[in-house]
Amino acid sequence: MDNLTHTLTGLVLSRAGLNRFSTHAPLVLMLSANVPDIDIVALTGGALNYFQDHRGITHSIAALPAMAILPVLVVLAVTRSTKGWKSAYLLSLIGVASHLLLDWTNAYGIRLLLPFSGEWFHADLNSVIDIWLWCVLLLALIGPLLGRLVSSEIGAKPGSGRGLAIFALVFFLTYDFGRYLLHQRAVESLNSRIYNGVAPTRVGAFPEAVSPIRWVAWADTPHTATRFDVNVLLPFDPSSGTEFFKPDPAPAMEAARQTGPFRAMQNFALYPLWSLSPADQPEGATRVELRDERFPFAATAIVDRSNRVLRSWFHY
């Protein structure tokens, strides 16, 4: 998920009751809910380097205890006191775990088992940015502030915001369960149809940022991949999609596979889609592209007629 969602989740966890265990709970939980994204330092090595490292070892279960130390060290440095560090560390573990859980719910996925396995885990429930979650989390943030203003005007005791924080967490769980049911419905609709006279070899449905009932869906057959915009409240029309033909294996594809950008895409792409087309230059060259059906980034190579890779690159 995006860092605003992670930050607000840490704050809501604190207000929901975890602030009873440490005076620095809000800061610890907000920092720890974001700390796995420290892998952004990989951007210093370029876009491809970041693409390879993002949601890698810093997002794994094995690294969770070590990642939880960093927010505690920051808080100890700011407060210049080691008092309550054990409680702060336990809260930090919760914050880091919340980050891993939220990232698992979206379509991008997470490599939870590194360094032992590079397998991607993804629930395909939420977009990386989900507007509905933003609204509820911001309500839990702003609600108590408005309540204090009203209380100061009428002379009443201001609320702690715990009720709204608990509501936000309950909404989170209910919302994701609802999205799970809608996702299952979309997948079942895709699986129950025939495409070009054959059953699909694989289908996938991926969330939009705005509408929970609309999904970007793909149905793969041995020779085609078809993209659909699915509204789970309407009958599914298998003829309404945009069809892409899969190229037959070719020497140019095999040459491109050996390059760094293509190796990175092959490690990431759970729904790979290859394309071959004539390149503008040089004469007789082939443009090879590999992307994932879920996201708008790709690896591209220019391969000459002798199947030598002239150039390959990763791009968004």
Side-chain angles (χ1 to χ4, degrees):
M1 304 297 286
D2 64 285
N3 292 107
L4 176 60
T5 300
H6 287 305
T7 302
L8 293 176
T9 299
L11 181 59
V12 164
L13 286 170
S14 174
R15 287 186 177 176
L18 293 182
N19 52 7
R20 293 178 295 175
F21 300 100
S22 172
T23 56
H24 307 299
L27 180 58
V28 171
L29 284 163
M30 285 190 290
L31 289 174
S32 59
N34 283 283
V35 73
D37 283 340
I38 197 173
D39 58 14
I40 196 173
V41 298
L43 267 176
T44 58
L48 177 60
N49 192 57
Y50 177 67
F51 175 69
Q52 291 175 301
D53 291 342
H54 184 46
R55 296 200 181 182
I57 191 64
T58 63
H59 288 67
S60 69
I61 295 174
L64 192 157
M67 297 305 300
I69 294 174
L70 299 179
V72 177
L73 293 177
V74 171
V75 171
L76 294 182
V78 170
T79 61
R80 298 182 180 181
S81 172
T82 59
K83 183 180 180 181
W85 71 268
K86 292 181 180 178
S87 297
Y89 180 66
L90 292 175
L91 293 178
S92 189
L93 288 172
I94 294 172
V96 176
S98 76
H99 186 112
L100 305 188
L101 179 62
L102 292 183
D103 281 0
W104 167 75
T105 65
N106 59 54
Y108 196 102
I110 185 172
R111 287 174 282 182
L112 284 171
L113 301 182
L114 285 175
F116 310 106
S117 170
E119 181 181 358
W120 286 89
F121 295 86
H122 57 108
D124 298 338
L125 302 182
N126 302 317
S127 174
V128 173
I129 296 175
D130 191 295
I131 292 175
W132 296 104
L133 294 179
W134 273 8
C135 290
V136 173
L137 290 169
L138 286 170
L139 173 64
L141 171 66
I142 297 172
L145 300 178
L146 296 177
R148 289 190 184 97
L149 290 175
V150 173
S151 298
S152 64
E153 290 294 326
I154 63 176
K157 182 179 179 181
S160 65
R162 185 181 181 192
L164 274 176
I166 293 174
F167 165 77
L169 295 176
V170 172
F171 175 87
F172 234 124
L173 295 174
T174 306
Y175 179 74
D176 276 355
F177 180 67
R179 293 211 66 145
Y180 166 78
L181 296 178
L182 295 173
H183 179 260
Q184 290 298 105
R185 181 169 180 173
V187 169
E188 289 168 3
S189 295
L190 292 161
N191 266 324
S192 66
R193 301 298 196 275
I194 297 297
Y195 307 89
N196 293 318
V198 297
T201 56
R202 179 176 56 182
V203 301
F206 312 110
E208 290 189 351
V210 178
S211 176
I213 64 172
R214 300 188 67 88
W215 300 75
V216 176
W218 288 82
D220 286 354
T221 70
H223 301 293
T224 64
T226 308
R227 183 190 185 279
F228 300 93
D229 291 313
V230 174
N231 184 328
V232 294
L233 300 185
L234 299 176
F236 173 61
D237 180 5
S239 65
S240 64
T242 302
E243 192 173 62
F244 301 85
F245 288 93
K246 299 178 180 179
D248 293 327
M253 290 171 57
E254 294 306 311
R257 284 181 188 274
Q258 309 310 313
T259 66
F262 277 78
R263 286 197 298 268
M265 275 301 300
Q266 288 175 100
N267 288 335
F268 173 79
L270 300 175
Y271 297 84
L273 185 62
W274 290 82
S275 66
L276 300 176
S277 60
D280 295 333
Q281 292 291 335
E283 184 178 351
T286 301
R287 180 186 177 95
V288 183
E289 185 171 277
L290 171 61
R291 62 186 178 91
D292 191 300
E293 294 170 355
R294 302 168 297 167
F295 300 105
F297 38 72
T300 300
I302 304 299
V303 183
D304 69 13
R305 64 177 63 191
S306 299
N307 296 312
R308 293 177 299 182
V309 178
L310 303 179
R311 180 189 175 203
S312 67
W313 68 96
F314 170 82
H315 56 99
Y316 291 94

